[in-house]
């Protein structure tokens, strides 16, 4: 299935969860926050949260800023 | 020595340092970290941005270099031009930082001036306070707006001294004084400081703290400037507590007139 992560198209197998996506992106250990279709998915729910075709995912982290 | 000095308290937490620093525009994490140490600051702002997919694998992230256990992380809403984006950014920051409630709200008006969009700032501040955030709010130096943000429940009000990144110093000290006279929450000058004397002026006016980024990060030697800013904030604070002498138009001799022999 096709989903969009930070605006980029990503192909994942059917039934993939957010943890699968983080694994796919080598972000499993990264300190990030995730929105799925503009709703925040708490870290504790990443393993259960299934993804669906055309989902919009935002993955953010902290960077330098003033 | 300082009979009346008390720690800066923001949202119930005490800080010995009255200098808050940013983490933008540094050449490396290492330079940022060294400047942070030299500044003595206990609170540091960060921005919330998309992860670069497929890039920088294995590189440390900012929060690995600047530990949330050691420093109070102040996520900002820089880059937001409306209330909805700012609120959304704060909620992402709260999730990122494991329920952390302290945020720096800034809603900008346009890219040239980076002046605050005050109407959107007011909307976002109310929504964030209602949602349980501790809001430190960047705003204009308008005393009425500052008071309104305080009354809404913001934990600190942060008027600009001059536009963000301009280094022009405290351009309207009289407005800052008016804000201070009416304030019941910490007032922190955020933006405009260019060099150490600007930070000292903000503190001499009676501000509770100073927040700066570019003045340190864009100095030729950021680590030395961070050290200068630490001292400037401390000396400005002490001068404020000491109470300055009155300004006089004419001279007032320091040596006594009595006892002259000529």
């Amino acid at each position: 299935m096709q989903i969009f992560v930070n605006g980029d198209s990503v192909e994942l197998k059917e039934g993939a969860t957010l943890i699968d996506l983080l694994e796919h992106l080598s972000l499993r250990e990264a300190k990030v926050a995730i929105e799925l279709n503009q709703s925040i998915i708490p870290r504790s729910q990443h393993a259960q949260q299934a993804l669906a075709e055309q989902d919009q995912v935002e993955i953010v982290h902290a960077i330098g800023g003033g | 020595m300082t009979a009346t000095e008390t720690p800066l308290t923001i949202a119930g937490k005490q800080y010995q340092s009255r200098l808050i620093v940013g983490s933008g525009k540094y050449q490396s994490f290492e330079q940022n970290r060294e400047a942070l140490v030299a500044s003595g600051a206990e609170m540091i702002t960060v921005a919330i941005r998309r992860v670069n997919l497929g890039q920088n694998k294995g590189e440390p992230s900012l929060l690995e270099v600047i530990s949330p256990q050691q420093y109070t992380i102040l996520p900002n809403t820089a880059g937001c031009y409306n209330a909805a984006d700012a609120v959304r950014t704060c909620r992402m920051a709260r999730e990122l930082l494991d329920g952390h409630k302290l945020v720096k709200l800034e809603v900008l008006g346009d890219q040239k001036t980076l002046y605050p969009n005050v109407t959107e700032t007011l909307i976002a501040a109310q929504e964030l306070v209602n949602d349980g955030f501790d809001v430190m709010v960047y705003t204009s130096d308008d005393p009425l707006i500052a008071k309104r943000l305080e009354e809404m429940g913001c934990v600190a009000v942060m008027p600009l001294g001059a536009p963000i990144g301009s280094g022009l110093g405290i351009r309207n000290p009289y407005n800052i004084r008016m804000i201070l006279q009416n304030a019941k929450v910490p007032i922190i000058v955020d933006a405009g400081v260019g060099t150490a004397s600007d930070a000292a002026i903000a503190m001499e006016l009676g501000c509770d703290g100073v927040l700066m980024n570019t003045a340190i990060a864009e100095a030729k030697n950021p680590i030395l400037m961070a050290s200068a800013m630490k001292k400037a904030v401390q000396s400005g604070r002490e001068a404020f507590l000491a109470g300055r002498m009155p300004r006089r138009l004419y001279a007032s001799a320091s040596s006594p007139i009595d006892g002259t022999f000529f």
Side-chain angles (χ1 to χ4, degrees):
Chain A
M1 64 179 169
Q2 183 190 39
I3 64 165
F4 293 89
V5 182
N6 293 355
D8 291 342
S9 170
V10 173
E11 279 295 327
L12 285 180
K13 64 180 190 311
E14 293 297 323
T17 65
L18 269 185
I19 283 285
D20 297 327
L21 173 63
L22 290 174
E23 198 80 57
H24 177 75
L25 298 170
S26 306
L27 290 172
R28 183 73 194 268
E29 304 300 323
K31 185 121 177 122
V32 295
I34 301 182
E35 260 185 10
L36 172 59
N37 302 323
Q38 298 216 15
S39 294
I40 290 172
I41 308 298
R43 202 167 285 129
S44 59
Q45 293 172 28
H46 290 180
Q48 301 93 290
Q49 183 62 56
L51 292 166
E53 183 72 27
Q54 299 297 305
D55 271 349
Q56 303 277 344
V57 179
E58 291 290 338
I59 306 178
V60 300
H61 64 158
I63 65 159
Chain B
M1 180 185 67
T2 52
T4 49
E5 181 57 314
T6 50
L8 171 62
T9 303
I10 297 172
K13 188 170 172 186
Q14 293 190 341
Y15 300 89
Q16 302 306 316
S17 170
R18 291 174 177 272
L19 174 57
I20 302 170
V21 295
S23 58
K25 300 181 176 173
Y26 285 97
Q27 285 168 8
S28 66
F29 283 153
E30 188 50 29
Q31 187 191 54
N32 189 348
R33 198 192 59 76
E34 281 181 46
L36 173 59
V37 170
S39 76
E42 296 160 89
M43 189 185 293
I44 180 165
T45 64
V46 301
I48 305 299
R49 291 291 182 272
R50 282 174 163 173
V51 169
N52 284 326
L53 301 179
Q55 290 176 28
N56 309 327
K57 273 180 194 153
E59 274 189 19
S61 74
L62 181 64
L63 294 180
E64 287 166 7
V65 180
I66 293 163
S67 158
Q69 280 74 47
Q70 196 177 354
Y71 295 98
T72 296
I73 304 295
L74 183 61
N76 70 27
T77 63
C80 293
Y81 288 83
N82 60 62
D85 287 349
V87 170
R88 188 177 169 198
T89 300
C90 288
R91 289 184 176 139
M92 282 290 244
R94 181 168 61 184
E95 162 63 13
L96 179 69
L97 296 166
D98 309 306
H100 176 97
K101 294 193 300 180
L102 189 69
V103 291
K104 171 182 162 178
L105 172 64
E106 57 179 300
V107 187
L108 303 173
D110 75 34
Q111 291 184 1
K112 190 167 185 181
T113 65
L114 298 181
Y115 249 68
N117 179 332
V118 170
T119 49
E120 290 291 302
T121 299
L122 290 166
I123 294 166
Q126 190 66 69
E127 197 165 335
L128 289 167
V129 168
N130 291 348
D131 197 11
F133 283 94
D134 294 326
V135 180
M136 299 174 70
V137 57
Y138 166 69
T139 185
S140 62
D141 60 10
D142 179 333
L144 302 181
I145 295 296
K147 191 66 189 171
R148 215 168 131 197
L149 288 162
E150 174 189 306
E151 286 166 353
M152 277 182 176
C154 293
V155 299
V157 176
M158 307 201 291
L160 51 76
I164 293 171
S166 70
L168 289 172
I170 314 300
R171 290 296 83 205
N172 199 340
Y174 301 101
N175 271 34
I176 302 290
R177 279 176 61 188
M178 277 193 262
I179 291 171
L180 286 164
Q181 285 198 339
N182 293 313
K184 294 194 178 67
V185 296
I187 301 298
I188 294 166
V189 161
D190 178 3
V193 166
T195 189
S197 53
D198 297 332
I201 286 169
M203 296 309 294
E204 286 171 11
L205 287 170
C207 289
D208 298 281
V210 181
L211 194 162
M212 66 180 74
N213 187 344
T214 310
I216 297 175
E218 277 191 5
K220 287 201 177 70
N221 184 334
I223 295 150
L224 191 56
M225 186 58 90
S227 166
M229 290 300 185
K230 175 184 181 175
K231 292 166 188 155
V233 168
Q234 284 173 348
S235 25
R237 177 67 182 172
E238 286 183 14
F240 168 71
L241 292 173
R244 61 154 297 148
M245 60 160 282
R247 289 181 172 85
R248 302 185 182 95
L249 187 55
Y250 291 104
S252 165
S254 295
S255 303
I257 304 297
D258 290 350
T260 47
F261 56 90
F262 36 78

